[in-house]
């Protein structure tokens, strides 16, 4: 997976806590880099849904969005 691109930066930009379930967090990241196969640059937002149970991570589900060119 990481060999698919070279990262120029990954910055956490926000954290959201679920009002109905405090064991769910959404982390927002700003990601930018270069696809190794094409040399094309990207600048995108990544959201990760973190779910906890009994104080431990249950699952992390990433959601990647590419801005239209």
């Amino acid at each position: 997976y990481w060999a698919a691109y070279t990262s120029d930066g990954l910055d956490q930009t926000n954290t959201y806590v679920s009002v109905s379930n405090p064991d769910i967090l959404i982390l927002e990241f700003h990601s930018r880099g270069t696809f190794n196969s094409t040399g094309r640059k990207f600048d995108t937002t990544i959201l990760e849904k973190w779910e906890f149970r009994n104080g431990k991570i249950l699952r992390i589900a990433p959601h990647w969005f590419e801005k239209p060119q």
Side-chain angles (χ1 to χ4, degrees), residues 7 10 30-32 39-41 43 45 59 64:
S7 177
L10 178 67
H30 175 218
S31 177
R32 57 212 171 279
R40 186 174 62 98
K41 295 277 189 185
D43 186 323
T45 299
R59 74 177 55 88
W64 175 292

Side-chain angles (χ1 to χ4, degrees), residues 23-50:
D23 285 336
I24 295 178
L25 299 176
I26 304 294
L27 302 179
E28 179 184 62
F29 298 92
H30 175 218
S31 177
R32 57 212 171 279
T34 305
F35 290 107
N36 293 333
S37 61
T38 64
R40 186 174 62 98
K41 295 277 189 185
F42 65 86
D43 186 323
T44 190
T45 299
I46 300 170
L47 298 174
E48 292 181 346
K49 180 181 178 184
W50 288 59

Side-chain angles (χ1 to χ4, degrees), residues 8 11 20 28 44 46 51 60:
D8 293 334
D11 303 304
S20 60
E28 179 184 62
T44 190
I46 300 170
E51 296 180 58
I60 302 169

Side-chain angles (χ1 to χ4, degrees), residues 23 44 56 58 63:
D23 285 336
T44 190
K56 296 182 181 180
L58 179 63
H63 301 274

